[in-house]
Amino acid sequence: MNSLKLLHVGCGPQNKAGTTPYFQSDDWQEVRFDIDARVNPDIQGTLTDMSAVATGSIDAVYSSHNIEHLYPHEVAVALSEILRVLKDDGIFVVTCPDLMSVCKLVAEDKLLEPAYISPAGPISPLDILYGHRAAMEKGNLYMAHRCGFTQKVLMNVLAGAGFKTVVVASRAAAFDLWAVASKNARPTPEMENLLRAQLK
């Protein structure tokens, strides 16, 4: 049996072990894709120009906290590229900050207070909204955030880009959104199961 191909976009220093339990099996062959040559990706490129990836060659695209680094007008371009590289039965798994849950803290005047502690240290609402300040202070300006999403907006932007079935969940306690979108139509219960599999 041929292995399934996982395109891990914006991988940074992470590999497949840093994705979700769903992709951990040996069935998945990971291809690491990133803008930053310093993380030694298999393919260097941007979300808006994935021309080094063949059309219809990928079974799943995984994107963790990348889409918010695009300018708003670039989001549709990136999603078009992701659709292009996916096989007809391919899926796109994406997670990004949930601005609705973050803004609740802002409304409580907690802009600079830690929302949670990450491996990189305390993360405040300001970091979630605009990018990790500590990383940018060290010169990694790729970490800047240029757009944002709520559950409804993420659902609509994925559907508007041409994904046929989209399911989205908000994890307010983690201040993030998760979505699974399919290139061709799939039954919604099947997609909901795929989404749950990402969150285990």
Side-chain angles (χ1 to χ4, degrees):
M1 174 182 167
N2 293 329
S3 60
L4 299 166
K5 192 168 287 188
L6 168 67
L7 186 66
H8 185 179
V9 298
C11 58
Q14 296 285 342
N15 57 30
K16 191 171 78 168
T19 61
T20 69
Y22 181 77
F23 294 119
Q24 297 306 307
S25 78
D26 293 337
D27 293 338
W28 291 98
Q29 174 196 349
E30 179 189 32
V31 178
R32 295 173 63 253
F33 182 100
D34 201 275
I35 192 173
D36 190 350
R38 294 172 297 180
V39 301
N40 298 312
D42 298 309
I43 301 173
Q44 186 178 0
T46 69
L47 285 174
T48 55
D49 181 5
M50 299 169 64
S51 54
V53 183
T55 298
S57 64
I58 300 297
D59 295 286
V61 174
Y62 175 81
S63 170
S64 176
H65 291 270
N66 300 300
I67 196 170
E68 67 270 20
H69 297 290
L70 300 172
Y71 289 108
H73 67 276
E74 294 177 313
V75 172
V77 178
L79 295 178
S80 176
E81 278 288 82
I82 289 166
L83 268 173
R84 179 187 65 78
V85 304
L86 282 172
K87 295 179 180 178
D88 287 343
D89 61 351
I91 61 168
F92 177 39
V93 177
V94 58
T95 180
C96 63
D98 175 17
L99 293 195
M100 189 173 290
S101 61
V102 175
C103 285
K104 288 178 181 177
L105 293 181
V106 177
E108 294 168 6
D109 201 14
K110 296 178 179 177
L111 183 66
L112 298 177
E113 296 179 24
Y116 64 93
I117 306 298
S118 79
I123 302 296
S124 73
L126 187 66
D127 295 312
I128 300 170
L129 289 170
Y130 295 108
H132 189 220
R133 289 171 293 159
M136 290 190 288
E137 184 179 358
K138 293 175 182 175
N140 187 359
L141 298 184
Y142 293 130
M143 295 298 289
H145 292 180
R146 299 182 174 98
C147 68
F149 302 88
T150 63
Q151 188 169 348
K152 180 172 77 173
V153 169
L154 184 59
M155 169 79 76
N156 289 343
V157 77
L158 289 166
F163 288 95
K164 295 298 189 270
T165 310
V166 181
V167 291
V168 182
S170 169
R171 299 193 309 170
F175 306 100
D176 63 9
L177 298 169
W178 283 81
V180 178
S182 59
K183 184 169 182 174
N184 285 351
R186 293 192 182 200
T188 298
E190 176 189 339
M191 294 292 285
E192 290 172 342
N193 286 337
L194 278 172
L195 181 58
R196 281 192 288 270
Q198 308 304 321
L199 302 177
K200 284 182 180 178

